[in-house]
mmCIF file of all heavy atoms in Angstrom:
data_model
loop_
_atom_site.group_PDB
_atom_site.id
_atom_site.type_symbol
_atom_site.label_atom_id
_atom_site.label_comp_id
_atom_site.label_asym_id
_atom_site.label_seq_id
_atom_site.Cartn_x
_atom_site.Cartn_y
_atom_site.Cartn_z
ATOM 1 N N ALA A 21 -10.265 58.001 3.420
ATOM 2 C CA ALA A 21 -11.622 58.552 3.278
ATOM 3 C C ALA A 21 -12.622 57.422 3.167
ATOM 4 O O ALA A 21 -13.764 57.618 3.494
ATOM 5 C CB ALA A 21 -11.714 59.444 2.041
ATOM 6 N N ASN A 165 -7.178 66.232 7.134
ATOM 7 C CA ASN A 165 -8.527 66.529 6.649
ATOM 8 C C ASN A 165 -8.539 66.717 5.091
ATOM 9 O O ASN A 165 -9.399 66.136 4.381
ATOM 10 C CB ASN A 165 -9.038 67.813 7.299
ATOM 11 C CG ASN A 165 -10.530 67.835 7.341
ATOM 12 O OD1 ASN A 165 -11.182 66.779 7.387
ATOM 13 N ND2 ASN A 165 -11.129 69.034 7.225
ATOM 14 N N GLU A 166 -7.528 67.416 4.584
ATOM 15 C CA GLU A 166 -7.452 67.664 3.154
ATOM 16 C C GLU A 166 -7.169 66.422 2.389
ATOM 17 O O GLU A 166 -7.712 66.199 1.324
ATOM 18 C CB GLU A 166 -6.389 68.765 2.839
ATOM 19 C CG GLU A 166 -6.829 70.157 3.318
ATOM 20 C CD GLU A 166 -5.733 71.147 3.014
ATOM 21 O OE1 GLU A 166 -4.583 70.758 2.705
ATOM 22 O OE2 GLU A 166 -6.031 72.353 3.121
ATOM 23 N N ASP A 167 -6.304 65.601 2.958
ATOM 24 C CA ASP A 167 -6.010 64.326 2.296
ATOM 25 C C ASP A 167 -7.220 63.439 2.136
ATOM 26 O O ASP A 167 -7.455 62.835 1.108
ATOM 27 C CB ASP A 167 -4.918 63.582 3.065
ATOM 28 C CG ASP A 167 -4.449 62.322 2.286
ATOM 29 O OD1 ASP A 167 -3.723 62.442 1.327
ATOM 30 O OD2 ASP A 167 -4.880 61.217 2.758
ATOM 31 N N SER A 168 -8.030 63.414 3.198
ATOM 32 C CA SER A 168 -9.271 62.620 3.131
ATOM 33 C C SER A 168 -10.254 63.183 2.096
ATOM 34 O O SER A 168 -10.845 62.458 1.338
ATOM 35 C CB SER A 168 -9.917 62.574 4.516
ATOM 36 O OG SER A 168 -9.117 61.914 5.393
ATOM 37 N N ASP A 169 -10.381 64.502 2.079
ATOM 38 C CA ASP A 169 -11.351 65.137 1.159
ATOM 39 C C ASP A 169 -10.943 65.011 -0.257
ATOM 40 O O ASP A 169 -11.787 64.898 -1.136
ATOM 41 C CB ASP A 169 -11.488 66.593 1.538
ATOM 42 C CG ASP A 169 -12.165 66.818 2.927
ATOM 43 O OD1 ASP A 169 -12.819 65.839 3.358
ATOM 44 O OD2 ASP A 169 -12.013 67.912 3.517
ATOM 45 N N ASP A 170 -9.617 65.053 -0.498
ATOM 46 C CA ASP A 170 -9.104 65.093 -1.924
ATOM 47 C C ASP A 170 -8.802 63.738 -2.483
ATOM 48 O O ASP A 170 -8.474 63.618 -3.669
ATOM 49 C CB ASP A 170 -7.832 65.909 -1.983
ATOM 50 C CG ASP A 170 -8.075 67.396 -1.653
ATOM 51 O OD1 ASP A 170 -9.274 67.786 -1.706
ATOM 52 O OD2 ASP A 170 -7.128 68.107 -1.324
ATOM 53 N N SER A 171 -8.906 62.691 -1.653
ATOM 54 C CA SER A 171 -8.495 61.374 -2.141
ATOM 55 C C SER A 171 -9.440 60.900 -3.224
ATOM 56 O O SER A 171 -10.631 60.928 -3.122
ATOM 57 C CB SER A 171 -8.557 60.375 -0.980
ATOM 58 O OG SER A 171 -8.118 59.085 -1.418
ATOM 59 N N ASP A 172 -8.828 60.345 -4.314
ATOM 60 C CA ASP A 172 -9.613 59.853 -5.420
ATOM 61 C C ASP A 172 -9.737 58.341 -5.418
ATOM 62 O O ASP A 172 -10.562 57.748 -6.131
ATOM 63 C CB ASP A 172 -8.945 60.271 -6.758
ATOM 64 C CG ASP A 172 -8.975 61.734 -7.002
ATOM 65 O OD1 ASP A 172 -10.012 62.378 -6.559
ATOM 66 O OD2 ASP A 172 -8.030 62.309 -7.577
ATOM 67 N N GLU A 173 -8.973 57.655 -4.574
ATOM 68 C CA GLU A 173 -9.009 56.184 -4.583
ATOM 69 C C GLU A 173 -9.565 55.713 -3.281
ATOM 70 O O GLU A 173 -9.266 56.211 -2.187
ATOM 71 C CB GLU A 173 -7.559 55.670 -4.694
ATOM 72 C CG GLU A 173 -6.910 55.914 -6.008
ATOM 73 C CD GLU A 173 -5.572 55.260 -6.080
ATOM 74 O OE1 GLU A 173 -5.372 54.237 -5.407
ATOM 75 O OE2 GLU A 173 -4.704 55.708 -6.873
ATOM 76 N N ASP A 198 -2.695 55.784 -1.644
ATOM 77 C CA ASP A 198 -2.718 56.102 -3.092
ATOM 78 C C ASP A 198 -1.476 55.647 -3.852
ATOM 79 O O ASP A 198 -1.490 55.512 -5.067
ATOM 80 C CB ASP A 198 -2.858 57.621 -3.265
ATOM 81 C CG ASP A 198 -4.263 58.133 -2.919
ATOM 82 O OD1 ASP A 198 -5.205 57.339 -2.991
ATOM 83 O OD2 ASP A 198 -4.368 59.234 -2.368
#
Side-chain angles (χ1 to χ4, degrees):
N165 205 32
E166 288 178 348
D167 184 77
S168 294
D169 292 341
D170 295 341
S171 180
D172 293 327
E173 295 186 24
D198 290 328

